[in-house]
Amino acid sequence: MESLLAELRSAVGDSGVLTDADVTASYRRDMMPLAPHGSPLAVVFPLDTEQVQAVVRACASHRVPIVPRGAGSGLSGAANAIEGCVVLVTTKMDAIVEIDTDNRLAVVEPGVVNLDLRGAVEKHGLFYPPDPSSYDWCTIGGNLSTNAGGLCCVKYGVTTDSVLGLEVVLADGEVLRTGRRTVKGVAGYDLTKLFIGSEGTLGVITKATLALKPLPQAPATLVAAFGSTATAGAAVSRIVREGLVPSLMEIMDRTSIEAVEQYLKTELGAGPGCAALLICQSDAGGEQARHELRKIEEICLEADLVYATHDVNEGRDLLTARRAVLTALEVYGSWLTDDVCVPRTRIAELIQGCEDISAEVGLKIAVVGHAGDGNMHPTIVYDPADADQFARAQKAFDDILAVGLALGGTVTGEHGIGKIKREWLAKEIGPVGLRVHREIKRALDPDNLFNPGSMFDQQQVR
């Protein structure tokens, strides 16, 4: 492989190629501990599209697979290395190329951090809606590759809803430009959406044209504490049925609340009998925001406590508690977070199902998620050094996916399939759906160059 390494150094410079095993070890996997991973031959850091093309062509000529990677914040193993691959890291391609205020769009490279983009466009009175919980360090390229969601999905949708077009390096090294800069456009197949959520299996995204929205008003916040998950679930269903569209609607179960209170050393005001906490926000501003929160408060009649505030700092503190759940669970041990999405009318059943699984496997399971779209994140706490607990955590992970499917849901709402849910993708989409996926993969990547083993195992593709 010395010939390939020489070509890679020629493409991106000596400093842009890492081969020391002690250094490359930190690029072996993302945040999902269960997903398989191997040791890369090299980790490369291209600076622009032309360098990505050169890396792809070099790897193709040597038949060495490429695993595209952003910041590594993913939770499905989609960016995990396979043995002997080249990990192509896009974090140094971090330019905000353009902010077009008149047409409300931005052109960015994949290494731009989500929060940095939001801050940059905010200075122009604009707003980039997708906000994964890791928005302070995850990158746009990773968000695109997994079609990431976030807390504001209930009103603004997921990543794909904010993308107008892409620039992608294909398996032959050619550059494909998809989409447009206009608000509308239906010329040809929607290739943009094909690449969003493809987890780097079809090409390497090197630029994205993103749609922006006017900067919303400072949000008003409401929290409601319920004595049972059933009453909380009923409130969520009614909020949706009444046609209310808050900018955020999150739910935390008892275990999540207790963990956050212990971690932040503060009380959320939910009380000792609280089984579920609902957090809603409205960014409509003025009387419309007050109207939305009043209507939500009326719906939450069975809550033990309802509190509304228009104080931005108070609202930010409550959202800090919600975003801190995964970190807070580390007070109990290591965590393994799942990602299932169910119809909003069945959120309470999913939470109950997780409680039943928790009792069965003897491990703590906390449930937190986006109540506005039914995307829940049951999180299993376990000791990874204990082989028995590790096995029980794996069983719980799969049992939760089975419950989600049985409730009419999907095995992933935003984290993706990666290398941890390949069998579950086959169960969800069926043999015909899987065949179509394979054929698309073969058409665009006939030599299985990009991220082999993500979504499908290698034998399935060939």
Side-chain angles (χ1 to χ4, degrees):
M1 290 291 102
E2 286 304 317
S3 174
L4 171 58
L5 293 175
E7 290 181 44
L8 294 176
R9 292 187 179 104
S10 175
V12 302
D14 290 349
S15 63
V17 180
L18 305 179
T19 57
D20 187 306
D22 291 337
V23 177
T24 61
S26 61
Y27 295 91
R28 292 175 64 181
R29 70 173 182 88
D30 62 15
M31 299 290 288
M32 167 50 71
L34 293 186
H37 58 272
S39 298
L41 168 72
V43 177
V44 299
F45 296 84
L47 300 177
D48 55 34
T49 301
E50 289 72 24
Q51 289 190 0
V52 173
Q53 289 180 277
V55 170
V56 168
R57 286 173 174 147
C59 290
S61 68
H62 291 269
R63 302 185 69 83
V64 170
I66 295 172
V67 176
R69 176 190 169 99
S73 64
L75 290 161
S76 69
N80 284 16
I82 64 169
E83 200 66 29
C85 74
V86 168
V87 174
L88 190 157
V89 184
T90 59
T91 51
K92 291 189 177 182
M93 298 174 64
D94 59 357
I96 298 175
V97 178
E98 178 186 5
I99 298 174
D100 183 340
T101 56
D102 291 336
N103 289 302
R104 293 212 298 258
L105 62 83
V107 179
V108 305
E109 291 182 332
V112 174
V113 172
N114 183 290
L115 186 59
D116 290 345
L117 174 60
R118 302 187 84 185
V121 301
E122 187 174 322
K123 295 174 184 176
H124 298 272
L126 297 170
F127 176 52
Y128 178 65
D131 65 334
S133 292
S134 57
Y135 73 156
D136 55 343
W137 67 289
C138 67
T139 56
I140 296 299
N143 295 170
L144 293 164
S145 293
T146 58
N147 198 11
L151 277 64
C152 293
C153 291
V154 58
K155 183 173 183 178
Y156 295 106
V158 294
T159 295
T160 189
D161 299 304
S162 293
V163 183
L164 295 172
L166 298 173
E167 178 183 272
V168 184
V169 174
L170 300 175
D172 60 2
E174 292 296 312
V175 174
L176 169 70
R177 293 178 178 84
T178 75
R180 65 208 70 84
R181 292 171 64 99
T182 56
V183 176
K184 294 172 65 178
V186 294
Y189 296 139
D190 193 341
L191 298 180
T192 301
K193 291 190 184 299
L194 176 62
F195 285 93
I196 298 171
S198 66
E199 301 181 7
T201 61
L202 302 178
V204 181
I205 296 171
T206 53
K207 281 192 183 71
T209 302
L210 306 173
L212 306 175
K213 294 187 178 297
L215 187 66
Q217 299 294 311
T221 307
L222 177 145
V223 293
F226 294 87
S228 74
T229 55
T231 53
V236 170
S237 296
R238 191 177 166 200
I239 289 168
V240 174
R241 188 167 61 248
E242 293 287 333
L244 297 168
V245 187
S247 56
L248 175 149
M249 185 158 58
E250 297 289 297
I251 194 167
M252 298 168 61
D253 75 346
R254 189 194 314 274
T255 304
S256 302
I257 296 165
E258 291 172 353
V260 166
E261 289 182 334
Q262 184 177 343
Y263 173 70
L264 296 177
K265 295 179 172 55
T266 186
E267 292 185 1
L268 298 181
C274 179
L277 189 71
L278 194 64
I279 307 173
C280 299
Q281 285 191 333
S282 172
D283 62 5
E287 182 54 38
Q288 185 176 346
R290 284 188 285 272
H291 170 74
E292 284 186 350
L293 291 193
R294 277 198 303 269
K295 294 292 290 183
I296 293 173
E297 187 171 357
E298 291 170 7
I299 289 169
C300 295
L301 290 175
E302 295 187 52
D304 296 333
L305 175 147
V306 180
Y307 175 71
T309 177
H310 290 263
D311 184 281
V312 175
N313 291 324
E314 272 192 297
R316 187 179 296 117
D317 289 343
L318 289 165
L319 261 292
T320 297
R322 160 61 186 92
R323 291 186 186 274
V325 170
L326 290 182
T327 304
L329 287 171
E330 292 176 0
V331 302
Y332 301 124
S334 295
W335 52 258
L336 171 64
T337 191
D338 219 323
D339 166 44
V340 291
C341 190
V342 297
R344 290 170 290 198
T345 53
R346 310 200 75 173
I347 290 173
E349 293 174 75
L350 177 67
I351 295 176
Q352 182 59 56
C354 291
E355 290 180 8
D356 295 342
I357 293 169
S358 175
E360 180 186 349
V361 300
L363 296 174
K364 189 184 293 289
I365 299 178
V367 182
V368 65
H370 316 310
D373 55 28
N375 191 181
M376 297 290 106
H377 299 303
T379 302
I380 307 147
V381 182
Y382 70 107
D383 179 1
D386 185 319
D388 179 59
Q389 283 201 26
F390 186 68
R392 283 184 278 145
Q394 288 181 303
K395 181 181 186 306
F397 186 88
D398 284 341
D399 288 350
I400 289 167
L401 296 177
V403 169
L405 281 183
L407 293 174
T410 174
V411 296
T412 176
E414 58 188 11
H415 293 169
I417 295 297
K419 297 177 178 69
I420 193 66
K421 295 182 180 178
R422 294 178 301 194
E423 305 82 13
W424 290 97
L425 174 66
K427 290 178 183 179
E428 179 171 329
I429 67 175
V432 176
L434 191 59
R435 174 176 61 80
V436 172
H437 275 68
R438 291 177 188 158
E439 290 177 353
I440 292 171
K441 168 72 168 170
R442 278 194 294 265
L444 290 176
D445 184 16
D447 293 324
N448 203 18
L449 176 71
F450 290 125
N451 209 2
S454 197
M455 288 197 182
F456 329 95
D457 64 42
Q458 297 184 51
Q459 190 60 41
Q460 285 178 315
V461 175
R462 288 171 181 161

